[in-house]
Amino acid sequence: MNNAAHPSNPLAYRDYRLFWIARFSAAMATMAMVVIIGWQVYDVARTDYAMTPKEAAFQLGILGAVQFIPLAILTPVAGWAADRFERRSVARLANSIDILVALALGWVTWADKLNLPILFTLAALHGVARVFVGPAMSTIAPNIVPPSVLPRAIAMSSIAWQSASVLGPAAGGIIYARNPDATYWFAAALLLLASAAISFVAPVHPP
């Protein structure tokens, strides 16, 4: 009777299904963007700035630093925000920033206005969004399933992230090969789906 009241499969719970879709979609969009931004930095450095392969590779190192700095500085703030504010709202705000980044990158790619300062700036904003979405999303799952289901819920959440980490770069690369700016429209659509899905989860207030 207890098992009937509390199904053991996390996907039996509507809120968890929505959460899983949101986590998978956001992670897939993020990983697709990370790969394409890196390629564009290298490509622009080689073609528009006439850099040598070593110099262009160094720009990738700068890109990594630009994306790491928000992580180093804002991680304590992101944890504080997840503990102080309604967690769906924090996740939606972070996804909204990432949607704007994806749309901006899509437009500058389409308009052929890419340059290194633009790429580094938008990559930094992308890093800011990733810092905040992580803690907010990870703290939602424990609040939408019974404690007995939590280990499986965490495992399936990890599966969502891992599978998206594999499929995101692959999908981003395939789409980019056909139409460079379409990768970012694809990422923006996934992020919008993630925001919509998480909006229909029951409010998750901090303790």
Side-chain angles (χ1 to χ4, degrees):
M1 190 170 186
N2 195 33
N3 289 336
H6 299 292
S8 61
N9 187 347
L11 294 177
Y13 300 88
R14 171 186 171 274
D15 281 351
Y16 188 83
R17 291 195 299 271
L18 292 168
F19 162 80
W20 198 95
I21 291 169
R23 184 160 176 76
F24 177 83
S25 300
M28 188 170 181
T30 294
M31 298 310 296
M33 289 172 64
V34 165
V35 168
I36 300 306
I37 291 171
W39 164 249
Q40 288 184 318
V41 165
Y42 184 84
D43 186 48
V44 167
R46 292 279 287 141
T47 57
D48 293 358
Y49 291 80
M51 292 185 184
T52 66
K54 286 186 177 181
E55 291 170 334
F58 181 73
Q59 301 305 309
L60 289 176
I62 295 175
L63 176 66
V66 162
Q67 292 180 308
F68 173 76
I69 289 172
L71 178 67
I73 296 175
L74 295 176
T75 293
V77 179
W80 173 84
D83 288 338
R84 293 281 294 180
F85 300 103
E86 205 275 307
R87 287 155 185 174
R88 297 176 314 153
S89 300
V90 177
R92 281 197 303 261
L93 178 60
N95 280 336
S96 297
I97 294 172
D98 232 3
I99 290 171
L100 293 176
V101 170
L103 293 175
L105 284 166
W107 184 83
V108 295
T109 301
W110 172 80
D112 196 23
K113 295 182 180 296
L114 283 172
N115 58 54
L116 291 180
I118 286 176
L119 285 168
F120 289 147
T121 300
L122 292 175
L125 287 175
H126 180 57
V128 170
R130 291 173 67 191
V131 170
F132 280 89
V133 77
M137 290 291 285
S138 63
T139 52
I140 289 176
N143 293 275
I144 56 177
V145 295
S148 60
V149 186
L150 185 56
R152 292 189 67 182
I154 293 173
M156 294 193 69
S157 176
S158 179
I159 289 171
W161 190 88
Q162 294 289 348
S163 56
S165 297
V166 174
L167 294 173
I174 291 170
I175 295 170
Y176 186 87
R178 293 179 175 273
N179 187 353
D181 56 281
T183 301
Y184 294 116
W185 310 137
F186 170 72
L190 284 176
L191 290 164
L192 186 60
L193 173 62
S195 293
I198 208 68
S199 294
F200 286 103
V201 173
V204 181
H205 297 284

